[in-house]
Amino acid sequence: MIPELPESTLTELASLADNLDALITRKPRTKATPFDDRRRALLAKHLGRKLPEEVELITCIGDSNTMFFAGAERLRFIRYRRSALWKPHWINRGLDLLPCFRAFHIGPTTAWKAGDKGSSTRAREKLEILLKKDVKPGGKVLLSIGEIDCRIHMAKTIKAGKTTIEEAVEKTAAKFIKLLVELKERGFRPALWALPQIVPKDEKLSSPTFPFVGSYELRRDISYAYLERLKAHCGEHGIPCVSILGMYHPPMEKAAREFFHDGTHLSQRLMPLALRELEKAGVLEIPHA
């Protein structure tokens, strides 16, 4: 059972998000953060224990699911850096309610294209900008990329009979792992936040603003098969791979609506579970105070 967040925590989440939003977006901008005590208190509530004086920072980068680590019970994209002068592609940041995470959105990137320069989202170029300007040498980088591949691209080719689930997931995982291995070889400490959810909607509810292909059952089977291949590839290279898929709901059944704040993206109700799993994997390292 995943417990409900206390009403006091939900109220503080909303209040702190509003306060940080106003601070981050006002002009002239300021780097001062007068809410650090509240951010630490929120993390301590999620962990269920006191925090040490110093908390290691993890840079979270990826698609919109990365905004889960921004800590708010809503999506909020704040323009942060531009990746080009002509037809700029923007890097967005989150509200960052939790002091252990900085969340960056690099667009609806796919695992298939994340390592390639010149993709339609310019994800690789954005990633390189963040690695250069926002991640310290040797810093931890948690990538959240791949949910779109399962929801659309692999599902489309499999449904069309062009490939099997086994072939599609292995081909995608084998290509994506190259990016993680490269980051490790460059001295960063990469980890993967793998497939946090299977969108619990039927195919007829697909829309131009949020498309998906195939039945829930097809997307479910693709997601679990892909997760297994990701874990295998990451294990071979000593790269942590963390997923809570199937842990907050019966694995073969749709997750309940209350686990999503907008029907699609994970609720902060699942943050305590995510923190525990990240600690188990050695990604999040916060000593007991």
Side-chain angles (χ1 to χ4, degrees):
M1 287 290 292
I2 304 295
E4 294 282 355
L5 287 177
E7 191 62 36
S8 60
T9 303
L10 290 171
T11 300
E12 174 62 357
L13 272 171
S15 173
L16 184 54
D18 288 342
N19 291 156
L20 285 169
D21 200 344
L23 178 73
I24 294 168
T25 56
R26 77 183 182 189
K27 295 181 179 180
R29 294 190 177 183
T30 176
K31 292 186 177 180
T33 309
F35 303 112
D36 284 349
D37 288 345
R38 290 171 64 188
R39 295 170 71 231
R40 286 176 57 85
L42 179 59
L43 178 58
K45 274 189 177 182
H46 284 321
L47 288 170
R49 65 177 192 267
K50 292 182 178 180
L51 302 182
E53 287 189 15
E54 297 293 329
V55 175
E56 184 181 34
L57 184 66
I58 300 171
T59 304
C60 308
I61 303 173
D63 59 28
S64 60
N65 292 293
T66 310
M67 289 297 108
F68 172 67
F69 295 105
E73 193 70 338
R74 67 185 192 227
L75 285 185
R76 177 69 170 99
F77 301 124
I78 301 168
R79 282 187 172 183
Y80 180 67
R81 295 191 188 278
R82 59 194 298 167
S83 63
L85 294 176
W86 300 105
K87 299 180 69 173
H89 291 257
W90 285 94
I91 298 169
N92 301 308
R93 61 163 292 181
L95 292 170
D96 297 341
L97 272 64
L98 302 174
C100 56
F101 300 124
R102 286 190 76 196
F104 295 105
H105 174 243
I106 57 174
T109 183
T110 62
W112 184 256
K113 286 287 190 177
D116 298 343
K117 292 182 178 180
S119 71
S120 60
T121 63
R122 297 298 190 273
R124 179 59 188 260
E125 290 83 350
K126 294 175 185 177
L127 174 61
E128 291 301 326
I129 290 171
L130 290 170
L131 293 174
K132 180 179 179 180
K133 297 187 175 183
D134 293 277
V135 183
K136 293 180 180 179
K140 288 184 177 179
V141 180
L142 182 64
L143 293 185
S144 176
I145 299 170
E147 185 269 335
I148 297 171
D149 300 76
C150 296
R151 172 163 45 90
I152 301 174
H153 301 292
M154 286 192 279
K156 186 175 182 179
T157 59
I158 293 165
K159 186 178 180 183
K162 296 179 180 179
T163 187
T164 64
I165 290 178
E166 292 75 15
E167 291 170 345
V169 299
E170 172 56 26
K171 192 174 181 180
T172 304
K175 184 178 181 186
F176 180 56
I177 191 65
K178 294 178 182 178
L179 174 61
L180 292 159
V181 171
E182 180 191 326
L183 295 183
K184 185 175 181 180
E185 290 174 345
R186 289 166 59 182
F188 297 103
R189 290 179 287 167
L192 181 60
W193 176 247
L195 303 177
Q197 89 283 48
I198 304 164
V199 176
K201 294 180 180 179
D202 296 316
E203 189 173 11
K204 65 179 182 293
L205 297 176
S206 179
S207 68
T209 56
F210 192 77
F212 46 91
V213 175
S215 65
Y216 169 81
E217 289 74 19
L218 173 63
R219 289 179 280 113
R220 175 198 66 195
D221 293 347
I222 292 169
S223 297
Y224 282 117
Y226 184 51
L227 179 57
E228 286 306 308
R229 294 313 304 150
L230 286 174
K231 287 181 176 178
H233 281 287
C234 285
E236 290 175 7
H237 296 281
I239 296 171
C241 179
V242 181
S243 174
I244 59 172
L245 185 63
M247 298 179 69
Y248 55 93
H249 59 98
M252 293 296 105
E253 298 177 16
K254 295 179 182 178
R257 175 67 177 78
E258 58 262 29
F259 292 121
F260 306 87
H261 65 74
D262 60 358
T264 300
H265 298 90
L266 293 184
S267 165
Q268 291 299 301
R269 181 181 176 187
L270 295 170
M271 183 56 77
L273 172 61
L275 293 171
R276 287 198 300 272
E277 292 304 307
L278 288 169
E279 284 193 306
K280 286 181 185 177
V283 178
L284 182 67
E285 297 178 284
I286 300 179
H288 288 251

